[in-house]
Amino acid sequence: PSKAGPKPPTSTKEVEVKHAVDEPPTVTGVRFAEHGGFDRVVIDLKGGLPGYSVRWVPELVQDGSGEPIDVRGGAYLQVSMHPAGAHTQSGSPTWVGGPIFQAALGNVRNVVKTGDFEAVVGVGIVLDRKAAFRVTEQKKPDRLVIDVAH
């Protein structure tokens, strides 16, 4: 018998989840891959899961300055994690590279580091077109998974 993988997401509804944490978790990296019918963006975390929101936005902007980020797409999902950081106590980045990571998947064009400012880490997902998505939390190791339909 064949083992079916996860089904593509079916909702475009924005998500907001609150988590109480003693210390803000640290974002250590973001990875992405194409699956059957959807693309998966995984945000790797250390120290638990922060609260987060995933919203549709008209464009991606740099947290702090508010300057638009020059990426083109048909739709944009903004993931904001709070409280969270993407740097060590001494200020070195824990999520290196970017700010724009080329993805070129079925629908996800780019993944963008939109900020690490005042205990909010932003991850922008640039899509070819608006599509259903889902967010799941996974532990051991801690990560936030965003699946976007093709």
Side-chain angles (χ1 to χ4, degrees):
S2 71
K3 189 173 172 221
K7 302 257 184 287
T10 56
S11 172
T12 56
K13 189 171 175 288
E14 298 184 339
V15 175
E16 173 114 22
V17 174
K18 296 197 179 336
H19 284 299
V21 293
D22 294 333
E23 290 287 320
T26 304
V27 175
T28 59
V30 177
R31 41 203 171 91
F32 36 83
E34 193 167 332
H35 293 269
F38 66 94
D39 298 330
R40 173 165 284 177
V41 177
V42 179
I43 302 169
D44 291 311
L45 294 147
K46 195 166 127 196
L49 291 166
Y52 55 90
S53 65
V54 183
R55 295 200 165 84
W56 295 103
V57 294
E59 65 178 355
L60 298 178
V61 297
Q62 192 67 44
D63 291 346
S65 72
E67 289 295 313
I69 296 169
D70 187 19
V71 286
R72 299 212 185 297
Y76 305 93
L77 271 175
Q78 177 67 54
V79 182
S80 298
M81 293 165 285
H82 48 85
H87 56 274
T88 63
Q89 286 189 329
S90 62
S92 302
T94 54
W95 173 17
V96 296
I100 300 171
F101 300 85
Q102 299 292 333
L105 306 177
N107 190 3
V108 174
R109 282 190 193 179
N110 300 295
V111 174
V112 181
K113 187 188 303 185
T114 60
D116 175 16
F117 182 71
E118 294 182 344
V120 176
V121 175
V123 179
I125 302 174
V126 181
L127 305 172
D128 281 329
R129 60 178 187 82
K130 186 170 181 176
F133 70 93
R134 74 173 154 246
V135 184
T136 49
E137 300 177 6
Q138 298 184 348
K139 295 187 177 288
K140 295 185 183 167
D142 296 324
R143 56 208 185 280
L144 204 53
V145 178
I146 300 100
D147 292 337
V148 182
H150 286 164

